[in-house]
Amino acid sequence: MIKVMTKYLKVDLIDCYGISLCDTKEEVIEGCGYDVDEITFEDLLVRMEGVYEIVEVTGDFKLKWICTE
């Protein structure tokens, strides 16, 4: 059985589009300032609408960060 890798991009829509790469849903929750026992991932998505954009990335992927000024 092949395990599909899943990562999450957390894009801050308020603070100049800062981006975090998270390994788990729990890491996303904590990165948004909540404890994992305090809120579910699904409720977090609703609560953070307009503040963070959460993107689930699955499969074999490569990220290339390009910064232009």
Side-chain angles (χ1 to χ4, degrees):
M1 181 176 187
I2 297 174
K3 183 177 179 182
V4 177
M5 184 170 51
T6 301
K7 302 275 186 182
Y8 301 89
L9 292 175
K10 181 174 65 78
V11 182
D12 189 334
L13 301 176
I14 305 297
D15 188 22
C16 301
Y17 293 96
I19 299 174
S20 300
L21 179 62
C22 302
D23 292 324
T24 64
K25 291 179 179 181
E26 291 79 12
E27 191 176 331
V28 174
I29 292 170
E30 290 172 350
C32 291
Y34 291 93
D35 185 58
V36 294
D37 297 326
E38 184 179 1
I39 191 169
T40 66
F41 185 74
E42 291 73 20
D43 288 341
L44 178 83
L45 295 177
V46 172
R47 190 171 295 177
M48 293 291 108
E49 189 173 333
V51 178
Y52 291 108
E53 187 70 35
I54 310 298
V55 180
E56 182 179 274
V57 183
T58 58
D60 186 22
F61 63 90
K62 292 182 181 180
L63 295 176
K64 180 177 181 181
W65 301 101
I66 300 174
C67 181
T68 59
E69 306 232 359

